[in-house]
Amino acid sequence: MSGFRGATAVVGIGSTDCERRGSSALSSAQLVLQAILRACEDAGADPRSIDGFCSFASDANEGLAIAAALGVNEVRWSSQVWGGGGGGVAAAVNAAAAAVYSGQAECVAVYRGITEADSGRQSYSKGHMGPLYTAHGILVPAQICAMRTQRMLEVDGVPPSTMEAVALAGYHHAQNNPAAVAYGQPLDHDRYEGSRVISEPYHLYDCSRENDAAAAVLVVRTERAGDYRGTPAVILAGVQGAGRGWAESVENEDPYSSAGHHPALVARLWDNAGVGPADVDVAQVYENFTGPAVASMIDFGLSPPGEAAGEFLTLENLIAPSGGLPINTAGGNIAEGFVHGIGLVAEAARQIRGGSANPVPGADVSLLIGGPMAPLVSSTIFGSPATV
């Protein structure tokens, strides 16, 4: 895969403001189109030149329909990643990069948009709450992830303070991001601890909430990045999949408290990117709930496991610009807005291209972690041109 490293890049980023679920006056298709047009404006690109479309998480907005609305000259690539919820978020970027790298397309838009009016409630869990769950009163993803997180706390010895740090970091960053749903709503220890329990050990602020919004990025070959405006966010590597004993095995996963990023997948990501955990300057960590985000950082070697995680995963260490590992710098799913993680893609690229509300000075390596504790997991590493 050495030829793939650095061969493709994000050259445009676009997003809409995140609105409270059910409040948007626009359809999800209109929001997607708005996000893609903003990505084209960011890149200085003609929307009609886009020839590929890729999404994930059962997006109802088919690439061909979006292409028709944009009036593109030709559609050469249209795909969607299987695997529920945010597990496919980085995989969609990887698929777009593969399409461009292989010559199947020249400019691929990776997008996701939802509104409650179009997708209903809990669009992230459709098709993944089978009878073995519902017969035992498990009806929502929070309950599934809560069981795994409780195991992580009790058996693995990870302190609950790590979860609070993830939530507070997202809210801290959202206060500088006017597009975030939590903008103007700061969170502190007392408010976090005093919030109601959703599914033990999760409090209210451990949980993300679906929002009406969309985001998109444009992926092209790096050698063509000069045709577009701004600094390219180069794609160093990407992985996706599920290890043995994972996927749709309904509570038989091994190891149970992992986020699902198994050792072979993690090693492949670092090897293909030519970097390691210590090289990561900033990370966007998918937090459907805070527990899986903590498990992800442990899986990738960003944080030590067990009790030592509590010493590393602190609010001070997770915030920009001074933290050792700033995460979710636009607010993340929890505080910016939950659109199956597409906002994390945009922010991961912004940390390289510029435009983040909470920039990390001199960031060269930006990590995107998708879909923890989902049937499919994925990840992408973006780098500055200096890393290639």
Side-chain angles (χ1 to χ4, degrees), residues 155-249:
V155 177
D156 299 348
V158 175
S161 63
T162 58
M163 297 161 52
E164 179 179 346
V166 170
L168 265 59
Y171 270 79
H172 173 87
H173 291 134
Q175 303 318 302
N176 294 325
N177 180 10
V181 291
Y183 179 69
Q185 303 173 40
L187 181 66
D188 59 19
H189 170 76
D190 290 341
R191 187 178 174 202
Y192 170 86
E193 191 67 29
S195 63
R196 68 181 185 274
V197 173
I198 300 301
S199 183
E200 192 177 0
Y202 296 149
H203 288 254
L204 176 65
Y205 295 107
D206 289 307
C207 305
S208 60
R209 301 158 290 178
E210 276 194 315
N211 297 101
D212 292 355
V217 298
L218 302 181
V219 178
V220 303
R221 287 193 70 94
T222 304
E223 64 189 22
R224 291 192 55 225
D227 298 338
Y228 300 90
R229 197 158 45 211
T231 302
V234 179
I235 297 172
L236 298 180
V239 292
Q240 68 182 72
R244 181 178 180 180
W246 196 258
E248 296 277 12
S249 57

Side-chain angles (χ1 to χ4, degrees), residues 16 193 360:
T16 69
E193 191 67 29
V360 174

Side-chain angles (χ1 to χ4, degrees), residues 215-286:
V217 298
L218 302 181
V219 178
V220 303
R221 287 193 70 94
T222 304
E223 64 189 22
R224 291 192 55 225
D227 298 338
Y228 300 90
R229 197 158 45 211
T231 302
V234 179
I235 297 172
L236 298 180
V239 292
Q240 68 182 72
R244 181 178 180 180
W246 196 258
E248 296 277 12
S249 57
V250 189
E251 300 310 296
N252 290 321
E253 284 85 354
D254 181 27
Y256 186 71
S257 61
S258 163
H261 306 280
H262 59 88
L265 178 143
V266 170
R268 190 162 61 248
L269 180 74
W270 297 132
D271 289 347
N272 290 346
V275 299
D279 299 308
V280 174
D281 298 306
V282 57
Q284 309 305 319
V285 184
Y286 192 103

Side-chain angles (χ1 to χ4, degrees), residues 21 121-126 128-130 133-148 198-200 202 207-208 251 288-289:
R21 182 180 59 208
R121 303 197 57 180
Q122 295 190 44
S123 62
Y124 51 84
S125 64
K126 290 179 180 177
H128 298 281
M129 304 300 294
Y133 285 132
T134 57
H136 294 88
I138 298 176
L139 305 174
V140 294
Q143 294 171 296
I144 297 174
C145 292
M147 291 191 293
R148 300 165 186 269
I198 300 301
S199 183
E200 192 177 0
Y202 296 149
C207 305
S208 60
E251 300 310 296
N288 42 7
F289 310 98

